[in-house]
Amino acid sequence: MRALLPLLRTGWGWRWRAGFLVAPRFAGGVSAGAGPWRAMALYRTEERGQPHSPGYRLFFKNEAGHYISPFHDIPLKVDPMEENGIPTKRARNDEYENLFNMVVEIPRWTNAKMEIATQEPLNPIKPDVKDGKPRYVVNVFPHKGYIWNYGALPQTWEDPHRKDENTECCGDDDPIDVCEIGSKVLSRGEVIRVKILGVLALIDQGETDWKLIAINVTDPEASKFHDIDDVKKYKPGYLEATLNWFRLYKVPEGKPENQFAFNGEFKSKAFALEVIKSTHECWKALLMKKCDGGAIN
Protein backbone atom coordinates (compact mmCIF):
# COMPACT_ATOMS: atom_id res chain seq x y z
CA MET A 1 0.00 0.00 0.00
CA ARG A 2 2.79 2.40 0.89
CA ALA A 3 4.40 1.72 -2.49
CA LEU A 4 1.24 2.75 -4.31
CA LEU A 5 0.65 6.02 -2.47
CA PRO A 6 3.48 7.91 -4.24
CA LEU A 7 2.09 6.79 -7.60
CA LEU A 8 -1.30 8.21 -6.73
CA ARG A 9 0.20 11.47 -5.52
CA THR A 10 2.50 11.99 -8.48
CA GLY A 11 0.08 10.71 -11.11
CA TRP A 12 2.55 8.12 -12.40
CA GLY A 13 0.25 6.77 -15.08
CA TRP A 14 -2.54 5.93 -12.65
CA ARG A 15 -5.71 7.98 -13.00
CA TRP A 16 -9.31 8.07 -11.86
CA ARG A 17 -12.11 7.40 -14.33
CA ALA A 18 -15.79 7.18 -13.36
CA GLY A 19 -14.81 6.69 -9.74
CA PHE A 20 -12.36 3.83 -10.41
CA LEU A 21 -8.56 3.76 -10.36
CA VAL A 22 -7.38 2.55 -13.78
CA ALA A 23 -4.04 1.16 -14.80
CA PRO A 24 -1.12 2.93 -16.44
CA ARG A 25 0.17 2.15 -19.90
CA PHE A 26 3.44 0.30 -19.95
CA ALA A 27 6.53 0.84 -22.08
CA GLY A 28 5.87 0.70 -25.79
CA GLY A 29 2.50 2.43 -25.48
CA VAL A 30 0.61 -0.73 -24.58
CA SER A 31 -2.05 -0.26 -21.95
CA ALA A 32 -2.54 -2.78 -19.18
CA GLY A 33 -6.00 -2.97 -20.66
CA ALA A 34 -5.01 -3.30 -24.31
CA GLY A 35 -7.50 -5.56 -26.01
CA PRO A 36 -10.62 -6.17 -23.92
CA TRP A 37 -10.69 -9.93 -24.53
CA ARG A 38 -6.93 -10.54 -24.26
CA ALA A 39 -5.82 -13.04 -21.61
CA MET A 40 -4.05 -11.33 -18.74
CA ALA A 41 -0.34 -12.11 -19.14
CA LEU A 42 0.99 -9.09 -17.29
CA TYR A 43 1.44 -10.92 -14.00
CA ARG A 44 3.57 -13.82 -12.85
CA THR A 45 3.62 -15.74 -9.59
CA GLU A 46 6.40 -17.10 -7.40
CA GLU A 47 5.85 -19.88 -4.88
CA ARG A 48 7.64 -19.98 -1.56
CA GLY A 49 7.38 -22.71 1.03
CA GLN A 50 5.89 -26.17 0.78
CA PRO A 51 2.39 -26.46 -0.69
CA HIS A 52 -0.25 -27.45 1.88
CA SER A 53 1.94 -26.14 4.70
CA PRO A 54 1.20 -23.12 6.94
CA GLY A 55 4.25 -21.30 5.56
CA TYR A 56 3.29 -21.58 1.90
CA ARG A 57 3.04 -18.25 0.04
CA LEU A 58 2.29 -17.31 -3.57
CA PHE A 59 3.77 -13.92 -4.48
CA PHE A 60 2.91 -11.80 -7.52
CA LYS A 61 5.21 -9.99 -9.96
CA ASN A 62 4.51 -7.59 -12.80
CA GLU A 63 5.89 -7.95 -16.32
CA ALA A 64 9.07 -6.13 -15.27
CA GLY A 65 9.69 -8.76 -12.61
CA HIS A 66 8.95 -6.45 -9.68
CA TYR A 67 6.98 -7.77 -6.72
CA ILE A 68 3.49 -6.33 -6.46
CA SER A 69 0.45 -6.68 -4.24
CA PRO A 70 -2.56 -8.48 -5.76
CA PHE A 71 -4.69 -6.51 -3.29
CA HIS A 72 -3.46 -2.99 -4.09
CA ASP A 73 -1.40 -2.96 -7.32
CA ILE A 74 -3.54 -4.95 -9.75
CA PRO A 75 -6.24 -2.56 -10.98
CA LEU A 76 -9.88 -3.32 -10.34
CA LYS A 77 -10.74 -2.12 -13.82
CA VAL A 78 -8.53 -1.49 -16.82
CA ASP A 79 -9.06 1.69 -18.80
CA PRO A 80 -11.58 0.80 -21.55
CA MET A 81 -11.18 4.11 -23.39
CA GLU A 82 -7.97 3.29 -25.19
CA GLU A 83 -6.54 0.30 -26.98
CA ASN A 84 -2.82 0.45 -27.77
CA GLY A 85 -3.02 4.17 -27.01
CA ILE A 86 -5.84 4.78 -29.53
CA PRO A 87 -9.32 5.91 -28.39
CA THR A 88 -11.92 3.33 -29.35
CA LYS A 89 -15.63 3.77 -30.03
CA ARG A 90 -16.23 0.28 -28.67
CA ALA A 91 -15.44 1.61 -25.20
CA ARG A 92 -18.98 2.97 -25.05
CA ASN A 93 -20.36 -0.57 -25.14
CA ASP A 94 -21.81 -1.72 -21.81
CA GLU A 95 -19.63 -4.82 -21.99
CA TYR A 96 -16.55 -2.65 -21.53
CA GLU A 97 -18.03 -1.05 -18.45
CA ASN A 98 -18.48 -4.51 -16.92
CA LEU A 99 -14.90 -5.76 -17.21
CA PHE A 100 -13.02 -6.43 -13.98
CA ASN A 101 -9.80 -8.16 -13.00
CA MET A 102 -10.21 -11.19 -10.77
CA VAL A 103 -7.43 -12.81 -8.75
CA VAL A 104 -7.98 -16.57 -8.51
CA GLU A 105 -7.30 -17.86 -5.00
CA ILE A 106 -8.94 -21.31 -5.17
CA PRO A 107 -9.40 -23.42 -8.32
CA ARG A 108 -12.69 -25.23 -8.80
CA TRP A 109 -13.02 -28.72 -7.25
CA THR A 110 -10.21 -28.11 -4.74
CA ASN A 111 -10.64 -28.00 -0.96
CA ALA A 112 -7.74 -25.96 0.42
CA LYS A 113 -8.91 -22.63 1.85
CA MET A 114 -6.58 -20.00 0.41
CA GLU A 115 -6.79 -16.23 0.67
CA ILE A 116 -4.99 -12.98 -0.06
CA ALA A 117 -2.94 -12.21 3.05
CA THR A 118 -4.21 -8.68 3.66
CA GLN A 119 -2.09 -8.24 6.79
CA GLU A 120 1.25 -9.27 5.27
CA PRO A 121 3.68 -7.24 3.15
CA LEU A 122 2.95 -7.64 -0.58
CA ASN A 123 -0.25 -9.54 0.30
CA PRO A 124 0.65 -12.97 -1.13
CA ILE A 125 -1.91 -15.75 -1.35
CA LYS A 126 -1.62 -17.94 1.75
CA PRO A 127 -3.44 -20.85 3.40
CA ASP A 128 -6.19 -20.09 5.87
CA VAL A 129 -4.70 -21.53 9.08
CA LYS A 130 -6.41 -22.66 12.29
CA ASP A 131 -4.55 -24.10 15.29
CA GLY A 132 -1.35 -24.07 13.23
CA LYS A 133 -2.79 -26.20 10.42
CA PRO A 134 -4.07 -25.28 6.95
CA ARG A 135 -7.83 -25.43 6.64
CA TYR A 136 -9.86 -27.34 4.07
CA VAL A 137 -13.55 -27.13 3.25
CA VAL A 138 -15.51 -30.35 3.47
CA ASN A 139 -17.35 -31.70 0.45
CA VAL A 140 -20.94 -30.47 0.39
CA PHE A 141 -22.81 -33.41 -1.14
CA PRO A 142 -22.80 -34.08 -4.05
CA HIS A 143 -19.94 -31.68 -4.83
CA LYS A 144 -16.16 -31.90 -4.50
CA GLY A 145 -14.58 -28.83 -2.87
CA TYR A 146 -15.40 -25.37 -4.19
CA ILE A 147 -17.92 -25.51 -7.03
CA TRP A 148 -16.55 -22.46 -8.87
CA ASN A 149 -13.18 -20.85 -9.40
CA TYR A 150 -13.06 -18.70 -6.29
CA GLY A 151 -11.17 -15.48 -5.76
CA ALA A 152 -11.44 -11.75 -5.24
CA LEU A 153 -11.55 -8.40 -7.01
CA PRO A 154 -8.42 -6.32 -6.33
CA GLN A 155 -8.71 -2.77 -5.00
CA THR A 156 -11.90 -3.55 -3.10
CA TRP A 157 -12.44 -3.83 0.64
CA GLU A 158 -15.45 -4.67 2.80
CA ASP A 159 -15.02 -2.22 5.67
CA PRO A 160 -15.59 -3.93 9.06
CA HIS A 161 -16.51 -0.56 10.63
CA ARG A 162 -19.07 0.46 8.01
CA LYS A 163 -22.61 -0.88 8.21
CA ASP A 164 -23.96 -1.83 4.80
CA GLU A 165 -27.26 -0.07 4.12
CA ASN A 166 -28.64 -3.17 2.38
CA THR A 167 -27.71 -5.81 4.93
CA GLU A 168 -27.46 -3.75 8.14
CA CYS A 169 -24.20 -5.60 8.86
CA CYS A 170 -20.59 -4.44 8.63
CA GLY A 171 -18.07 -5.85 6.15
CA ASP A 172 -15.79 -8.84 6.67
CA ASP A 173 -12.46 -6.94 6.35
CA ASP A 174 -11.50 -8.59 3.04
CA PRO A 175 -11.57 -7.84 -0.69
CA ILE A 176 -14.92 -8.74 -2.24
CA ASP A 177 -15.25 -12.42 -3.20
CA VAL A 178 -15.96 -13.75 -6.69
CA CYS A 179 -17.43 -17.08 -7.83
CA GLU A 180 -16.36 -17.57 -11.46
CA ILE A 181 -18.77 -19.98 -13.20
CA GLY A 182 -17.00 -20.59 -16.52
CA SER A 183 -16.20 -24.03 -17.92
CA LYS A 184 -12.43 -23.98 -17.31
CA VAL A 185 -10.70 -25.00 -14.09
CA LEU A 186 -8.31 -22.12 -13.46
CA SER A 187 -5.00 -22.04 -11.60
CA ARG A 188 -4.25 -20.36 -8.29
CA GLY A 189 -2.74 -16.94 -8.89
CA GLU A 190 -4.22 -16.42 -12.34
CA VAL A 191 -5.44 -12.91 -13.03
CA ILE A 192 -8.38 -13.11 -15.39
CA ARG A 193 -10.87 -10.65 -16.81
CA VAL A 194 -14.46 -11.30 -15.83
CA LYS A 195 -17.84 -9.77 -16.39
CA ILE A 196 -20.18 -9.53 -13.43
CA LEU A 197 -23.59 -11.20 -13.57
CA GLY A 198 -25.02 -10.74 -10.09
CA VAL A 199 -24.35 -11.01 -6.37
CA LEU A 200 -25.41 -12.95 -3.27
CA ALA A 201 -25.38 -11.34 0.18
CA LEU A 202 -24.04 -13.90 2.65
CA ILE A 203 -24.22 -13.02 6.34
CA ASP A 204 -21.29 -14.84 7.96
CA GLN A 205 -21.26 -14.65 11.76
CA GLY A 206 -22.92 -11.24 11.65
CA GLU A 207 -20.70 -9.81 8.88
CA THR A 208 -21.61 -8.91 5.31
CA ASP A 209 -19.73 -11.18 2.91
CA TRP A 210 -20.77 -10.41 -0.66
CA LYS A 211 -20.35 -13.20 -3.23
CA LEU A 212 -20.17 -11.93 -6.79
CA ILE A 213 -21.24 -14.24 -9.61
CA ALA A 214 -19.06 -13.73 -12.69
CA ILE A 215 -17.79 -15.44 -15.82
CA ASN A 216 -14.40 -15.37 -17.51
CA VAL A 217 -14.73 -13.28 -20.68
CA THR A 218 -12.66 -15.84 -22.59
CA ASP A 219 -15.05 -18.66 -21.72
CA PRO A 220 -16.62 -20.21 -24.86
CA GLU A 221 -20.10 -19.45 -23.52
CA ALA A 222 -19.39 -16.00 -22.10
CA SER A 223 -21.31 -14.24 -24.88
CA LYS A 224 -24.54 -15.84 -23.62
CA PHE A 225 -24.27 -14.34 -20.16
CA HIS A 226 -25.24 -10.74 -19.43
CA ASP A 227 -27.15 -10.82 -16.14
CA ILE A 228 -28.14 -13.16 -13.33
CA ASP A 229 -31.18 -14.50 -15.20
CA ASP A 230 -28.88 -15.88 -17.88
CA VAL A 231 -27.26 -18.11 -15.25
CA LYS A 232 -30.70 -19.51 -14.42
CA LYS A 233 -31.36 -20.07 -18.12
CA TYR A 234 -28.09 -21.57 -19.31
CA LYS A 235 -26.82 -23.21 -16.11
CA PRO A 236 -30.02 -24.41 -14.42
CA GLY A 237 -29.47 -25.45 -10.82
CA TYR A 238 -26.12 -23.68 -10.45
CA LEU A 239 -27.43 -20.79 -8.38
CA GLU A 240 -29.45 -23.14 -6.18
CA ALA A 241 -26.32 -25.25 -5.64
CA THR A 242 -24.35 -22.10 -4.82
CA LEU A 243 -26.89 -21.00 -2.22
CA ASN A 244 -26.94 -24.47 -0.68
CA TRP A 245 -23.14 -24.69 -0.64
CA PHE A 246 -22.72 -21.40 1.22
CA ARG A 247 -25.50 -22.30 3.62
CA LEU A 248 -24.02 -25.64 4.64
CA TYR A 249 -20.25 -25.60 4.22
CA LYS A 250 -19.50 -24.69 7.86
CA VAL A 251 -22.02 -27.07 9.42
CA PRO A 252 -19.54 -30.02 9.63
CA GLU A 253 -17.32 -27.76 11.78
CA GLY A 254 -20.10 -27.59 14.34
CA LYS A 255 -21.23 -24.13 13.26
CA PRO A 256 -24.82 -23.16 12.41
CA GLU A 257 -26.04 -22.72 8.86
CA ASN A 258 -25.10 -19.41 7.28
CA GLN A 259 -27.79 -16.81 6.70
CA PHE A 260 -28.43 -14.48 3.78
CA ALA A 261 -29.82 -11.02 3.21
CA PHE A 262 -32.75 -10.67 0.81
CA ASN A 263 -33.89 -14.20 1.80
CA GLY A 264 -31.12 -15.67 -0.30
CA GLU A 265 -32.16 -13.91 -3.50
CA PHE A 266 -29.43 -13.37 -6.07
CA LYS A 267 -29.40 -9.70 -7.02
CA SER A 268 -28.90 -8.35 -10.55
CA LYS A 269 -25.79 -7.19 -12.37
CA ALA A 270 -26.77 -3.54 -11.83
CA PHE A 271 -27.05 -4.12 -8.10
CA ALA A 272 -23.72 -5.97 -8.06
CA LEU A 273 -21.93 -3.14 -9.86
CA GLU A 274 -23.10 -0.71 -7.18
CA VAL A 275 -21.76 -3.06 -4.49
CA ILE A 276 -18.39 -3.18 -6.29
CA LYS A 277 -18.30 0.59 -6.56
CA SER A 278 -18.99 0.90 -2.82
CA THR A 279 -16.23 -1.55 -1.87
CA HIS A 280 -13.82 0.23 -4.21
CA GLU A 281 -14.61 3.51 -2.46
CA CYS A 282 -13.90 1.80 0.87
CA TRP A 283 -10.56 0.60 -0.50
CA LYS A 284 -9.66 4.12 -1.62
CA ALA A 285 -10.50 5.42 1.86
CA LEU A 286 -8.31 2.68 3.33
CA LEU A 287 -5.45 3.58 0.99
CA MET A 288 -5.62 7.25 1.88
CA LYS A 289 -5.91 6.39 5.58
CA LYS A 290 -9.32 7.98 5.89
CA CYS A 291 -10.66 5.03 7.88
CA ASP A 292 -9.42 2.46 10.39
CA GLY A 293 -7.66 -0.31 8.46
CA GLY A 294 -6.53 -2.14 11.59
CA ALA A 295 -3.70 -4.55 10.81
CA ILE A 296 -4.11 -4.39 7.02
CA ASN A 297 -0.86 -3.93 5.14
Side-chain angles (χ1 to χ4, degrees), residues 53-191:
S53 71
Y56 174 83
R57 297 293 185 272
L58 185 68
F59 287 90
F60 286 72
K61 292 182 176 182
N62 61 18
E63 64 177 357
H66 301 143
Y67 289 101
I68 61 169
S69 161
F71 184 11
H72 303 299
D73 297 330
I74 295 174
L76 171 62
K77 295 192 70 175
V78 179
D79 189 354
M81 299 301 293
E82 294 182 354
E83 184 169 332
N84 293 326
I86 302 173
T88 170
K89 294 181 180 179
R90 289 181 295 172
R92 291 195 292 268
N93 191 308
D94 287 344
E95 291 294 318
Y96 282 71
E97 296 303 316
N98 187 19
L99 286 176
F100 295 86
N101 286 324
M102 171 189 174
V103 178
V104 178
E105 298 167 312
I106 305 170
R108 181 189 283 116
W109 311 135
T110 63
N111 296 73
K113 289 176 65 67
M114 307 292 291
E115 60 188 6
I116 292 174
T118 59
Q119 298 183 10
E120 296 184 11
L122 293 174
N123 311 116
I125 292 177
K126 73 175 186 67
D128 186 356
V129 175
K130 183 177 181 180
D131 298 327
K133 297 180 180 180
R135 300 177 66 193
Y136 298 85
V137 298
V138 299
N139 296 322
V140 177
F141 184 83
H143 308 292
K144 167 68 171 67
Y146 287 77
I147 64 175
W148 344 258
N149 296 298
Y150 193 73
L153 296 187
Q155 296 187 345
T156 63
W157 181 55
E158 297 191 56
D159 188 344
H161 304 292
R162 180 178 178 272
K163 183 176 290 188
D164 188 281
E165 61 182 14
N166 296 293
T167 66
E168 295 298 314
C169 296
C170 294
D172 70 346
D173 202 21
D174 283 318
I176 194 168
D177 297 321
V178 188
C179 303
E180 192 280 319
I181 65 170
S183 56
K184 182 181 178 182
V185 176
L186 301 172
S187 299
R188 181 173 300 118
E190 277 194 70
V191 179

Side-chain angles (χ1 to χ4, degrees), residues 190-259:
E190 277 194 70
V191 179
I192 64 167
R193 194 164 291 172
V194 298
K195 57 180 176 179
I196 305 300
L197 306 174
V199 68
L200 176 68
L202 172 67
I203 306 300
D204 187 353
Q205 297 179 299
E207 297 177 334
T208 302
D209 190 3
W210 295 104
K211 306 296 182 184
L212 294 166
I213 306 300
I215 189 166
N216 189 341
V217 296
T218 63
D219 190 87
E221 296 186 319
S223 62
K224 297 180 180 179
F225 294 85
H226 305 284
D227 213 318
I228 199 67
D229 287 340
D230 294 318
V231 184
K232 301 173 185 176
K233 180 178 180 180
Y234 295 111
K235 290 183 180 285
Y238 207 162
L239 295 181
E240 292 82 357
T242 295
L243 187 69
N244 195 53
W245 195 96
F246 280 119
R247 177 182 288 118
L248 298 176
Y249 81 104
K250 290 188 176 181
V251 170
E253 300 176 3
K255 297 179 180 179
E257 293 184 2
N258 278 323
Q259 303 299 311

